[in-house]
Amino acid sequence: MTLTELQTAHPYGVYYKPHGSYYTMDYDNELGYFIQLVDGSFETQWNWVDFDTLEESVSDELELLAKNILVNM
């Protein structure tokens, strides 16, 4: 899947280059992401953020991304 296809399917998402992932929210306001592959395409399956298993700094960073996505929805 290309970045353009992801942006079309999930227009309120955010490509976050430091993580190499495209983050977006589902209809239950769960933060999900698609991992960018070596060839520049993205996985087609959702992955879900588990805030309970993240370091605090990463969790805080992703919470800010999620808030930005929600504001723009």
Side-chain angles (χ1 to χ4, degrees):
M1 181 174 284
T2 67
L3 180 58
T4 301
E5 291 170 331
L6 273 175
Q7 291 170 326
T8 300
H10 308 282
Y12 302 107
V14 174
Y15 174 62
Y16 193 57
K17 192 172 185 172
H19 293 181
S21 297
Y22 186 82
Y23 290 91
T24 191
M25 305 290 283
D26 72 356
Y27 293 110
D28 295 326
N29 291 332
E30 295 287 330
L31 184 62
Y33 60 98
F34 298 87
I35 298 171
Q36 189 172 28
L37 304 173
V38 174
D39 67 1
S41 66
F42 289 81
E43 292 182 333
T44 57
Q45 298 292 321
W46 282 84
N47 297 286
W48 302 103
V49 174
D50 182 0
F51 286 98
D52 295 331
T53 62
L54 297 174
E55 291 182 19
E56 187 175 341
S57 62
V58 175
S59 179
D60 292 345
E61 190 175 15
L62 292 179
E63 283 181 26
L64 284 174
L65 274 175
K67 287 177 186 176
N68 286 332
I69 292 168
L70 286 172
V71 166
N72 291 319
M73 287 181 88

